[in-house]
């Protein structure tokens, strides 16, 4: 086990929870820690690239994909979402307070060498294909996460 290694399971696609995940991850990486973020179930929507077209999918996979947010710019808030007004207000306040956007945090995470892993089983269940994800994402299963977590001094579930 290494105190300098951290893992974060990103289960949610709520904007505020994803913000907290990236603040912790980039903060730890900036302090020199090795960080792995494992995106599973709803958290996979964070890694979906809104500019990439979906590959051929079944009817249910297409419908499921249309109901989920695509990328960090389209995430709802966990509280006070108010049909999408909440996230716009949050982004306005973040700009006003000079807080990085989620898109900037995601880019910074990749620049800091944070490992972004998409859960293969969740991808299968939710009909998300590798071709839909942002560049630089690894695909892995629970064994991948558990191998990382068993070596880490801190494991978080957000």
């Amino acid at each position: 086990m290494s105190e300098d290694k951290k893992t974060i399971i990103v289960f949610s696609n709520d904007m505020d929870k994803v913000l907290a995940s990236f603040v912790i991850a980039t903060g730890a990486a900036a302090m020199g820690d090795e960080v792995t973020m494992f995106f599973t179930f709803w958290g996979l929507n964070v890694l979906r690239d809104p500019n990439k077209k979906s590959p051929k999918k079944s009817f249910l996979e297409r419908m499921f994909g249309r109901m989920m947010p695509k990328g960090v710019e389209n995430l709802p808030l966990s509280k006070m979402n108010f049909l999408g007004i909440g996230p716009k207000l949050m982004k306005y306040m973040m700009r006003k307070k000079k807080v990085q956007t989620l898109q900037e945090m995601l880019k910074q995470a990749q620049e800091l060498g944070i490992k972004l892993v998409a859960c293969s089983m969740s991808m299968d269940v939710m009909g998300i294909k590798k071709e839909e994800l942002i560049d630089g994402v690894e695909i892995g299963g629970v064994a991948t996460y558990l191998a990382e977590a068993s070596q880490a001094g801190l494991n978080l579930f957000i």
Side-chain angles (χ1 to χ4, degrees), residues 3-142:
E3 293 299 320
D4 296 337
K5 189 167 184 162
K6 317 280 188 262
T7 70
I8 300 173
I9 294 176
V10 183
F11 179 82
S12 173
N13 67 1
D14 291 329
M15 179 186 175
D16 43 331
K17 293 176 184 176
V18 174
L19 272 168
S21 300
F22 276 103
V23 167
I24 294 167
T26 56
M31 293 171 54
D33 292 345
E34 182 182 339
V35 180
T36 298
M37 297 178 80
F38 187 78
F39 295 83
T40 188
F41 288 97
W42 309 116
L44 286 170
N45 292 314
V46 173
L47 302 177
R48 294 174 70 203
D49 188 331
N51 299 317
K52 290 186 178 175
K53 289 197 168 212
S54 300
K56 192 166 185 100
K57 293 183 170 187
S58 70
F59 174 74
L60 287 176
E61 289 173 334
R62 282 193 315 270
M63 294 306 292
F64 205 53
R66 288 185 182 149
M67 292 187 288
M68 297 185 296
K70 196 171 187 179
V72 293
E73 293 299 320
N74 302 305
L75 303 178
L77 282 175
S78 64
K79 307 273 189 236
M80 301 190 317
N81 192 50
F82 300 127
L83 301 172
I85 295 171
K88 289 179 179 149
L89 180 61
M90 178 71 84
K91 289 175 188 173
Y92 170 77
M93 292 301 289
M94 289 170 63
R95 257 192 324 273
K96 194 171 179 178
K97 302 288 183 179
K98 301 189 184 336
V99 174
Q100 282 185 310
T101 65
L102 256 177
Q103 189 67 42
E104 292 167 338
M105 287 185 196
L106 176 58
K107 182 179 177 201
Q108 182 182 34
Q110 290 183 306
E111 290 170 355
L112 288 168
I114 292 173
K115 190 187 296 185
L116 306 175
V117 181
C119 175
S120 57
M121 188 218 49
S122 295
M123 288 175 67
D124 285 343
V125 170
M126 300 175 81
I128 297 173
K129 310 294 183 199
K130 181 177 180 167
E131 296 81 12
E132 297 176 77
L133 302 179
I134 60 172
D135 295 332
V137 173
E138 297 178 26
I139 309 295
V142 68

